Amino acid sequence: MNNSINKAVSSAPAKVILFGEHFVVYDNPAIVAAINKRIHVYAQTNNKLRINIKSGKNSICILTRGNVDLVSIRDKDMSFLHPIFKCVSHVLSEKNKSNIGIDLDIDSQIPYGEGLGSSAASCVATVAALYSLFSDNNRNQVYETSKLMEQNIHKNSSGVDCYVCTFGGIMNYEPDKGFSNIRPKKKFTLLIGTTGVKHSTGEVVSQVKEFREKNSSQFKDLSLKAKAIYKTAVNSMLEGNELELGRMFTENQKLLYKLGVSHPKIEKMIDVCLNSGALGAKLTGAGRGGAIIALLPHDKSTEVLAKISKSPGKWMLVEFDYDGVIVG
Ligand code: MEV
């Protein structure tokens, strides 16, 4: 056994879905963007044949043969440590390194289960750190493996979350053409509000699957409308038309409401944003809780934010992230 300890560090950004969540699972386009909140993963090899994963006060320790050795999960919502374990064991076996152990320390600014891509970002950052331990820094491979690993969390994953967490930027996803960068003509001011209601993306995606099976013609109609909104949104970004872009947020939200993925807290927070001068607002990600995004008028963002911030919910202005996953 090699006794030397290798170390690596990586980080990946959170994401928002600007347009097209849920519809993207069924071959429809979407616009996704990375934002300036990150998860950091510090990895090092150990000679104890154990995978130790630590995140704040929570930790799991698993023998590399796969038996759970010791689990110490203090917060009930720390189930995200299990998919991270799967990422580690997958890379170890892919690289024929099942004879070593790994210590991982996770430090995240991304709230878990709130629609901001904590699962995707944790898979991307973990896989990138592990590959880096074995001198492999191929971003495409990081994306492919993370996408596969995210399917352990929800099996119908479209892969858009992992893509944007790996490559960063604002991405236009078209099923027949793949991903391309969108470079908006003007800076847009994006506000995120989190409801505090945690959701399971896998469960919400399954509920939408059921909705689609029971209401196929309604789903087709909603998908066509979502596609039209997406097209207008791409143009309004390219033309720097924030009024139209904001309107598209709100139009997209109406479709998500009909799909059954909204939540009373989401509706309330959206109303607050619209009544305070936001140009548009919608849920982002899977819905049924999680987060909303609102487009603020760029030249009046301070006063609109001041009004919105007085109401319940956690609010944060975010910037787009153009780095994607960073190793080292
Ligand atoms: C979750 O962030 C986005 C969904 O469209 C699922 C997916 O694309 O895999 C709800």
Side-chain angles (χ1 to χ4, degrees), residues 57 65 72 104 109 111 116 138 193 200-201 276 310:
K57 289 178 184 162
R65 285 190 304 278
S72 163
L104 277 196
Q109 306 168 327
L116 300 178
N138 179 335
S200 147
T201 300
S276 307
K310 286 185 194 135

Side-chain angles (χ1 to χ4, degrees), residues 15 17 21-22 24-25 154 156-161 201 205 285-286:
K15 68 90 200 31
I17 304 221
E21 51 272 273
H22 288 294
V24 68
V25 173
H154 80 103
N156 292 319
S157 160
S158 67
V160 295
D161 292 7
T201 300
V205 169

Side-chain angles (χ1 to χ4, degrees), residues 23 221-227 229 250-261:
F23 299 104
D221 180 52
L222 292 174
S223 300
L224 284 176
K225 288 184 172 134
K227 201 169 174 177
I229 289 170
T250 309
E251 287 304 309
N252 194 159
Q253 172 61 22
K254 289 180 190 161
L255 306 183
L256 292 165
Y257 180 86
K258 287 186 183 152
L259 208 53
V261 297

Side-chain angles (χ1 to χ4, degrees), residues 3-32:
N3 283 330
S4 68
I5 302 291
N6 290 336
K7 292 185 179 184
V9 55
S10 82
S11 70
K15 68 90 200 31
V16 285
I17 304 221
L18 297 174
F19 293 93
E21 51 272 273
H22 288 294
F23 299 104
V24 68
V25 173
Y26 301 99
D27 279 341
N28 287 291
I31 307 176
V32 288

Side-chain angles (χ1 to χ4, degrees), residues 67-116:
N67 303 329
V68 175
D69 191 23
L70 180 70
V71 180
S72 163
I73 296 196
R74 300 205 182 154
D75 292 356
K76 63 178 174 8
D77 277 324
M78 281 296 140
S79 42
F80 79 91
L81 294 179
H82 291 278
I84 292 175
F85 163 71
K86 293 223 171 190
C87 292
V88 176
S89 69
H90 177 92
V91 176
L92 288 182
S93 90
E94 185 190 307
K95 297 284 180 192
N96 286 322
K97 299 283 185 188
S98 301
N99 59 338
I100 60 168
I102 297 288
D103 296 330
L104 277 196
D105 206 338
I106 314 253
D107 183 12
S108 182
Q109 306 168 327
I110 312 174
Y112 175 68
E114 299 253 26
L116 300 178

Side-chain angles (χ1 to χ4, degrees), residues 10-14 35-40 107-110 121 165 321-326:
S10 82
S11 70
I35 54 167
N36 61 342
K37 299 277 161 205
R38 287 195 161 250
I39 183 164
H40 287 80
D107 183 12
S108 182
Q109 306 168 327
I110 312 174
C165 292
D321 167 284
Y322 292 91
D323 293 325
V325 66
I326 298 174

Side-chain angles (χ1 to χ4, degrees), residues 229-245:
I229 289 170
Y230 146 87
K231 274 191 185 153
T232 309
V234 172
N235 287 335
S236 44
M237 284 184 150
L238 296 177
E239 288 163 6
N241 185 342
E242 63 172 14
L243 280 181
E244 189 172 66
L245 186 63

